[in-house]
Amino acid sequence: MHVPDGFLDAPTSLATGAVAAGTVALALRGARRELDERTAPLAGLTAAFVFAVQMVNFPVGAGTSGHLIGGALTAVLVGPWTAVLCMTVVLLVQAVLFADGGLTALGTNVTLMGLVAVGVGYGVTRLLVRVLPRTRTGLLSAAGTGAFLSVPAAALAFVGLFATGGVADVSLGAVLAAMGGVHLLIGIGEAAISVAVLGAVLSVRPDLVHGAAHLRRPADLATRPGLRTGETVR
């Protein structure tokens, strides 16, 4: 999924860079409402996990590679705006220190994985949460579906960018075939891992999960770890 240098022309790269910069600017403001002293450490741990899973790349043809993205999982755990910041930091470190994704394509990668993957994954999750049972299973089902759809959505968004400003010596049909089919399979893995990780966190600290706010009741918060009997939450 990481786009290298020289795949897109300068106007397209500049345009995605502007979109990415605007998104990050909005995320810096939005994350203030999502993070506090309890959830900030989880954001750091989530970013480290996403960094690790994204470093496992494998070729899918036509000069492209595939890997898990983690956008939907991050958004459900820590909130969509914080997820954008986590993904941006991960992509920046990968590009600068590991040459995983081109520096001139950083805006493109942030747009694809920090905006499209996060937006589609979290949007689908929130939509399904409204119609599925308000239970832990309902949330996991919604998050799994969002995670699955976020991967081909980001892949197809790249195909659209390549159709607009692709300059690499690869046909559009080859790129579409490589990115479309394989990323459906990657999406299955993305859903499975997202559900497993989210389920594990929900089992021990559901109060930290941003996307589980609709499952929490006052009684749940009053009995969370660290509170003495009879102590109220302020």
Side-chain angles (χ1 to χ4, degrees), residues 23 26-31 33-34 78-86 118:
T23 302
L26 291 174
L28 287 171
R29 300 182 61 181
R33 299 188 298 270
E34 297 172 347
V78 298
W81 294 119
T82 305
V84 170
L85 298 182
C86 290
V118 169

Side-chain angles (χ1 to χ4, degrees), residues 70-101:
L73 171 63
T74 306
V76 175
L77 284 175
V78 298
W81 294 119
T82 305
V84 170
L85 298 182
C86 290
M87 300 295 289
T88 300
V89 171
V90 167
L91 293 169
L92 178 61
V93 172
Q94 289 174 341
V96 173
L97 299 183
F98 298 94
D100 194 2

Side-chain angles (χ1 to χ4, degrees), residues 38-49:
R38 296 183 304 109
T39 57
L42 179 61
L45 290 173
T46 304
F49 176 78

Side-chain angles (χ1 to χ4, degrees), residues 95-130:
V96 173
L97 299 183
F98 298 94
D100 194 2
L103 287 175
T104 62
L106 180 60
T108 300
N109 288 319
V110 171
T111 298
L112 295 174
M113 289 179 273
L115 176 57
V116 176
V118 169
V120 171
Y122 188 74
V124 170
T125 300
R126 295 305 302 165
L127 179 63
L128 292 179
V129 159
R130 296 181 179 181

Side-chain angles (χ1 to χ4, degrees), residues 1-4 7 58-66 158 170 174-175 178-179 183:
M1 180 63 68
H2 285 72
V3 180
F7 238 68
F58 49 90
V60 298
T64 63
S65 62
F158 168 71
V170 182
V175 172
M179 298 296 288
H183 281 84

Side-chain angles (χ1 to χ4, degrees), residues 1 69 147-157 179-180 183-184 187:
M1 180 63 68
I69 297 178
F148 168 72
L149 293 177
S150 69
V151 177
L156 291 178
M179 298 296 288
H183 281 84
L184 286 174

